[in-house]
Amino acid sequence: MNQKKQRGKTRQLILIATALIVIPGTFGYIEFWLSRPIGEGPAGPEVDRTHFENVWSDRAVRVVGIGDSITAGLGAKSPKHTFFNRLIQNPSDEYEPMRGICLSSVLPNLAAENFAISGSESNLHLDVIRETIPTYPDAFGIILMTSGGNDLIHSYGRSPPRECAMYSATLEQAKPWIDNFRDRLDTMLREIAAKFPAGCEIYIGDIYDPTDGVGDAPSIFLPDWPDGLAIHARYNQVIRNVASQYEFVHVVPLHETFLGHGSHCRQFWRSSYDSDDPHYWFFTNIEDPNDRGYDAIRRVFLNTILAKTTLK
């Protein structure tokens, strides 16, 4: 009888010990690997409002959007909340610290057109520049641009990789496509400048990483891609290298800004962890930002413009 009681106590201890391990482990797994809360309120860096207290220039300025769904605004809660529109004009429900911080408040003769197309790759962006965007003979141009991200993520591993849809490619496969992107981007920048004989400034975002630099594609519900991070890094290096050849082209650091706001946003032990805002900035399709992500993009574009524009 004593042996039976002892065995019963042993089983109880084993069950209790297992529960003490499994239950916290389950909650920890949910919190640090599966939980992706989006948070509330403003997101991204502060913008110094003192730069928006006086008019920068009364010359005619044309703001033009070029590129993919980030510039088009897929994932924002309304058209007024896309980064492109929010940068130009504050929405009615703007956060109080950002009221009046927009380009229309400092450029009274500003007009805007957005030619970005959701789902488009860089080859289509070149076609849009050549075939759709007019020449603006008298206006100074501010071009807001995102290009290249869809070249990487399409077609999500569902078909063999190819140029401008290279998901699952090896680095060796991708090298000629990366070289072609370099030539294509250089052509785009030169042809944009030709549309603005009175001068322009091009602000192009580099490509963010929804895995927070880890490269584990299954964490964003995509097939494993061993060379994905390396190819991503090459594309971003192309954007920076080509932009550096032109004094009127400036890179907007979306990659740096979004680190810590992807699939590992709750993992406090990672170097990318943002303790001030450990939240997810991506829309449900993974490719695009959510509304808070667009707020952050608007801010980092504005800060880059403040640092680089010749209009101020």
Side-chain angles (χ1 to χ4, degrees):
M1 192 71 177
N2 289 335
Q3 287 182 342
K4 286 184 178 180
K5 287 184 177 179
Q6 187 62 39
R7 284 198 297 269
K9 288 181 179 180
T10 302
R11 282 196 297 269
Q12 283 182 330
L13 289 173
I14 290 171
L15 289 172
I16 292 169
T18 301
L20 290 173
I21 294 170
V22 171
I23 294 173
T26 300
F27 280 108
Y29 180 72
I30 292 170
E31 172 63 19
F32 298 122
W33 271 270
L34 299 182
S35 177
R36 294 171 191 178
I38 62 173
E40 296 179 349
E46 292 185 2
V47 182
D48 186 352
R49 73 163 42 256
T50 61
H51 295 285
F52 294 84
E53 292 172 352
N54 299 293
V55 169
W56 294 357
S57 173
D58 59 3
R59 68 186 299 186
V61 175
R62 179 74 62 158
V63 181
V64 170
I66 300 173
D68 51 33
S69 53
I70 298 174
T71 302
L74 183 63
K77 68 180 181 181
S78 80
K80 293 182 179 180
H81 292 82
T82 67
F83 98 81
F84 183 88
N85 289 334
R86 206 164 185 170
L87 186 148
I88 293 165
Q89 180 68 54
N90 300 128
S92 59
D93 61 348
E94 182 62 87
Y95 300 116
E96 191 60 39
M98 288 295 291
R99 288 187 182 276
I101 299 180
C102 58
L103 292 183
S104 63
S105 70
V106 289
L107 297 169
N109 292 316
L110 177 150
E113 293 178 272
N114 194 347
F115 296 93
I117 301 171
S118 292
S120 58
E121 294 97 8
S122 63
N123 53 356
L124 181 57
H125 302 161
L126 179 56
D127 291 341
V128 168
I129 292 163
R130 287 176 165 170
E131 300 170 12
T132 306
I133 297 178
T135 298
Y136 300 95
D138 302 317
F140 185 87
I142 296 178
I143 293 82
L144 311 176
M145 185 174 178
T146 52
S147 183
N150 287 336
D151 294 13
L152 301 178
I153 203 167
H154 291 174
S155 292
Y156 315 100
R158 293 195 297 251
S159 60
R162 59 175 174 80
E163 185 170 2
C164 292
M166 63 181 71
Y167 196 98
S168 78
T170 66
L171 181 57
E172 284 304 310
Q173 277 180 297
K175 281 180 178 178
W177 304 333
I178 295 168
D179 291 339
N180 290 345
F181 176 64
R182 177 183 294 106
D183 295 339
R184 190 180 308 120
L185 181 59
D186 185 68
T187 301
M188 284 194 277
L189 298 179
R190 287 188 286 104
E191 295 200 11
I192 290 169
K195 302 281 186 178
F196 291 90
C200 71
E201 296 167 354
I202 300 173
Y203 296 90
I204 180 169
D206 58 10
I207 303 167
Y208 52 38
D209 174 10
T211 73
D212 292 324
V214 178
D216 54 343
S219 74
I220 52 172
F221 315 109
L222 292 174
D224 189 37
W225 185 11
D227 286 355
L229 275 186
I231 295 171
H232 183 179
R234 295 288 185 97
Y235 247 60
N236 272 341
Q237 194 59 53
V238 164
I239 291 172
R240 296 177 189 119
N241 287 348
V242 174
S244 70
Q245 298 173 28
Y246 301 95
E247 62 180 13
F248 58 88
V249 182
H250 312 289
V251 177
V252 181
L254 300 188
H255 182 267
E256 175 187 339
T257 301
F258 271 70
L259 284 177
H261 301 286
S263 58
H264 301 286
C265 62
R266 306 300 279 183
Q267 297 179 356
F268 61 86
W269 57 89
R270 296 193 182 276
S271 60
S272 62
Y273 181 71
D274 181 356
S275 59
D276 293 326
D277 189 359
H279 297 103
Y280 192 64
W281 287 357
F282 289 86
F283 189 48
T284 53
N285 69 353
I286 301 162
E287 294 178 56
D288 296 298
N290 59 26
D291 205 59
R292 297 190 73 233
Y294 276 117
D295 183 18
I297 292 176
R298 174 267 301 260
R299 292 164 184 258
V300 74
F301 261 88
L302 274 175
N303 280 338
T304 306
I305 292 170
L306 286 174
K308 302 296 183 180
T309 188
T310 59
L311 289 171
K312 266 178 73 263

